[in-house]
Amino acid sequence: MTKKIILDCDPGHDDALAMMLAYANPEIDLVAVTTVAGNQTLKKVTNNALSLATLIGMNEVPIAAGCENPLVNKIKVADDVHGESGIDGTDLPDPEVELQDIHAVDLIIDIIMNNPENTITLVPTGALTNIAMAVRKEPKIVNRVKEVVLMGGGYLESNASAVAEFNIITDPEAAHIVFNAGWKLTMVGLDVTHKALATQDVLDELLKINTETSVKVNELLSFFQAMYKENQGFDFPPVHDPVTVAYLIDPSIMEVKNVPVDIELSGKLTRGMTVVDFSHVIKEKCNTYVGMSLDKEKFWNLIYDALRKIR
Ligand code: BDR
Ligand code: CA
């Protein structure tokens, strides 16, 4: 049985790979792509999603734009990591795929309400604004969704403050709603995604695959490498977002622990922190799971297989 997913993203170099993996892997049925402000403005990330869809020939998957700003704050983009366009480093085609004439929040709700219960999985790889808005607008979605597998947070690692990760700190209030909704939620945080490095071997393999898309992905990840070197001292860039999709395809790539997670909203130094309670002090039972490890070889093989299927 294929898994039906909605990818809610802010492309974004690594979001692009999440989209490609979800589109090309036969175990995943990508039912919609929705966009949210994050790595760049909503306008730019939406344009990037449409360009990427055009590049890979993904004409049949609806793409809808969502929220322009987080629930409380104004958007602060990550141009230091993703560049002026949000996906600098290669030339993408002008969009030929059309944007849907519906708000992402409404598309998410419609899809969940119009499919059988327990069939739609949400895969957020950006700030959680759209998902939180959908929960508030139609709370019935919480019991209908199969699960949420998101990229965000971390229990030891951080990249946007001493203790917070970019997607969560971009909209902590939204993250608070989503993590506390009660649905099954798996957090694929930096502790895992910092192991998904696009090493020299990976960059070389992309050139060997030698399709139009894989060569562009090599260019994108080379730009990403330079940015990560300059800003965060990484020799090779972590390709965060597709770990979510890879985990849905093959759960054996990542060990998870069933532990409570909550979002710090008010801490002066800790706002946006994902507080992971390995001692179960906050509560005994919970529906939240935290990714702990990554089988890198299996992960990259899934990416290569997907790229071989794309033109
Ligand atoms: C996350 O932030 C974004 O810059 C990436 O696309 C990823 O979703 C990593 O912290
Ligand atoms: Ca992202």
Side-chain angles (χ1 to χ4, degrees):
M1 264 264 286
T2 57
K3 290 187 175 156
K4 286 182 191 288
I5 76 165
I6 300 175
L7 179 67
D8 184 61
C9 58
D10 59 342
H13 296 71
D14 50 334
D15 301 83
L17 270 162
M19 189 192 293
M20 290 171 191
L21 179 58
Y23 178 58
N25 187 286
E27 315 251 328
I28 299 288
D29 178 4
L30 180 58
V31 293
V33 172
T34 51
T35 59
V36 64
N39 286 328
Q40 259 298 352
T41 60
L42 180 71
K43 199 170 172 207
K44 288 185 185 178
V45 299
T46 303
N47 191 65
N48 295 342
L50 296 170
S51 287
L52 287 163
T54 306
L55 171 73
I56 66 177
M58 189 178 85
N59 307 313
E60 68 284 20
V61 177
I63 300 179
C67 295
E68 229 169 310
N69 279 296
L71 298 184
V72 176
N73 306 317
K74 282 264 177 292
I75 189 68
K76 272 200 222 136
V77 300
D79 49 354
D80 54 333
V81 186
H82 296 274
E84 216 17 71
S85 69
I87 193 157
D88 280 9
T90 192
D91 285 329
L92 291 176
D94 288 339
E96 280 167 23
V97 173
E98 275 185 29
L99 188 64
Q100 298 292 304
D101 191 18
I102 180 172
H103 194 282
V105 171
D106 294 315
L107 183 62
I108 291 168
I109 293 171
D110 286 357
I111 291 174
I112 298 167
M113 297 309 287
N114 293 323
N115 273 276
E117 271 180 41
N118 248 334
T119 56
I120 301 293
T121 294
L122 294 177
V123 182
T125 61
L128 291 162
T129 321
N130 290 340
I131 310 297
M133 290 281 283
V135 169
R136 283 292 188 256
K137 190 167 185 197
E138 181 46 276
K140 288 198 197 88
I141 66 168
V142 171
N143 289 329
R144 299 183 64 88
V145 159
K146 186 166 185 267
E147 60 177 320
V148 180
V149 178
L150 64 87
M151 192 283 134
Y155 52 88
L156 289 177
E157 309 232 359
S158 58
N159 63 4
S161 81
V163 292
E165 180 278 332
F166 178 77
N167 289 339
I168 305 295
I169 210 170
T170 295
D171 197 341
E173 282 72 20
H176 194 274
I177 292 170
V178 172
F179 275 77
N180 285 290
W183 44 22
K184 182 182 178 197
L185 180 149
T186 302
M187 173 179 115
V188 182
L190 295 175
D191 316 280
V192 174
T193 67
H194 276 173
K195 299 183 198 326
L197 300 174
T199 59
Q200 194 57 52
D201 286 352
V202 171
L203 296 171
D204 292 346
E205 187 63 32
L206 295 169
L207 289 183
K208 268 193 227 147
I209 294 172
N210 199 21
T211 57
E212 190 189 350
T213 302
S214 77
V215 170
K216 286 199 185 293
V217 170
N218 169 288
E219 290 168 3
L220 286 172
L221 293 185
S222 301
F223 175 88
F224 213 34
Q225 179 185 15
M227 294 296 102
Y228 258 96
K229 179 83 187 159
E230 198 177 309
N231 295 308
Q232 295 189 39
F234 280 69
D235 286 332
F236 296 101
V239 183
H240 311 274
D241 293 340
V243 179
T244 52
V245 180
Y247 173 65
L248 284 165
I249 296 165
D250 178 1
S252 77
I253 71 148
M254 183 177 83
E255 278 168 52
V256 296
K257 266 197 180 159
N258 179 212
V259 281
V261 185
D262 212 335
I263 309 296
E264 179 64 271
L265 291 181
S266 56
K268 196 170 148 208
L269 300 172
T270 52
R271 182 169 154 80
M273 179 181 182
T274 42
V275 179
V276 179
D277 177 20
F278 287 108
S279 319
H280 287 264
V281 173
I282 308 176
K283 50 186 156 185
E284 187 90 358
K285 290 201 167 153
C286 61
N287 263 341
T288 43
Y289 294 76
V290 170
M292 304 294 298
S293 61
L294 181 70
D295 186 326
K296 291 174 234 168
E297 204 181 320
K298 280 188 187 168
F299 169 71
W300 285 110
N301 282 333
L302 285 172
I303 300 281
Y304 302 149
D305 286 347
L307 287 170
R308 283 190 199 100
K309 292 199 174 78
I310 294 173
R311 65 192 185 190

